[in-house]
Amino acid sequence: MRVVTMLHLEGDLDEPRDAAIRRAVARASDEVAGVRRSHLGRHYPGTVGGGEYTWDVLFDGRDPAALHQAAGLEALTAAGALRLDTVAFEPQHLAVPEPGIRDCVKRTLFLRVLPDTPADARDRFEHDMLGMPRYIDAIRNWAFSRADPELHPTPWTHVWEQEYRELRGLQVGYMVSPYHWGLVDGWYDPESPQRIVDTHLAHVYCPAAATILGWDA
């Protein structure tokens, strides 16, 4: 089971607070049975709706609540963590053609398909999303999954993750791709009759020393 949490903080994030957050997350990861891998990434400037950190965890078990109940997370509150926005899921669509990627950029998108969206429209949306890596070479590794609210309650319906060799791969190779703007963007654009995705998104990206998506590939 994968668990992805975005940490929202209050106030300025200086070095002592950053160190306190990292200690709390490391302690929680060590205390909870079933945690196989854990990574905390501080977001680059320019991220939207996802707070200050992405916390990726790979579990053997199926109880993500245990992670957030760990004693180590009391320190997060002391350091000013206001909210933990968590999605849990079993990986569904995953490709890691570059497992040896180093010093990369990990991008995470939490999104919500609007209620009452017809199943066929949702299926076409997912098909188009899954087509992106075939047309956008900058995406080195990727995963696209439906959130599982039975594992952890969440308003989000999908998690879209990618790994890039550098920021330019995300900011240019991905964002200005004709496939992105010419096909996929219509699912998100409130001015498009095709749109089925809520305009409220969490779009974040952070540095990673090595692959995260390749943990369980």
Side-chain angles (χ1 to χ4, degrees), residues 96-135:
V96 186
E98 194 170 333
I101 194 170
R102 307 290 298 181
D103 298 321
C104 57
V105 176
K106 199 267 185 172
R107 187 260 186 148
T108 306
L109 177 70
F110 286 177
L111 65 94
R112 173 179 175 263
V113 171
L114 295 170
D116 302 323
T117 295
D120 62 336
R122 183 201 60 202
D123 291 346
R124 292 197 307 272
F125 161 71
E126 292 177 342
H127 177 270
D128 289 347
M129 292 291 290
L130 290 169
M132 296 184 84
R134 293 198 301 271
Y135 296 94

Side-chain angles (χ1 to χ4, degrees), residues 26-214:
R27 181 180 173 190
S29 301
D30 289 341
E31 289 180 349
V32 177
V35 173
R36 290 173 55 193
R37 303 290 295 272
S38 174
H39 177 270
L40 183 71
R42 183 173 174 178
H43 297 158
Y44 285 114
T47 61
V48 177
E52 286 69 39
Y53 295 90
T54 297
W55 183 10
D56 285 278
V57 178
L58 178 65
F59 264 102
D60 279 330
R62 291 176 61 84
D63 184 16
L67 189 68
H68 295 170
Q69 293 165 359
L73 290 188
E74 294 176 4
L76 282 176
T77 301
L82 287 179
R83 182 163 61 91
L84 305 181
D85 188 3
T86 296
V87 172
F89 54 95
E90 297 289 353
Q92 294 143 40
H93 304 283
L94 171 68
V96 186
E98 194 170 333
I101 194 170
R102 307 290 298 181
D103 298 321
C104 57
V105 176
K106 199 267 185 172
R107 187 260 186 148
T108 306
L109 177 70
F110 286 177
L111 65 94
R112 173 179 175 263
V113 171
L114 295 170
D116 302 323
T117 295
D120 62 336
R122 183 201 60 202
D123 291 346
R124 292 197 307 272
F125 161 71
E126 292 177 342
H127 177 270
D128 289 347
M129 292 291 290
L130 290 169
M132 296 184 84
R134 293 198 301 271
Y135 296 94
I136 303 174
D137 291 339
I139 299 175
R140 306 314 304 157
N141 302 318
W142 61 273
F144 184 61
S145 301
R146 293 185 186 179
D148 188 341
E150 293 187 0
L151 291 174
H152 193 281
T154 178
W156 307 111
T157 61
H158 294 77
V159 183
W160 172 221
E161 304 170 279
Q162 309 100 51
E163 290 173 344
Y164 300 87
R165 292 175 182 163
E166 57 185 0
L167 269 175
R168 181 177 174 82
L170 170 62
Q171 295 172 335
V172 179
Y174 179 92
M175 289 297 182
V176 304
S177 161
Y179 187 93
H180 178 252
W181 286 110
L183 180 62
V184 172
D185 189 63
W187 297 110
Y188 294 80
D189 188 346
E191 296 183 355
S192 169
Q194 178 183 330
R195 174 242 182 167
I196 64 169
V197 177
D198 195 338
T199 55
H200 175 60
L201 302 167
H203 155 65
V204 303
Y205 41 102
C206 62
T211 184
I212 294 168
L213 299 179

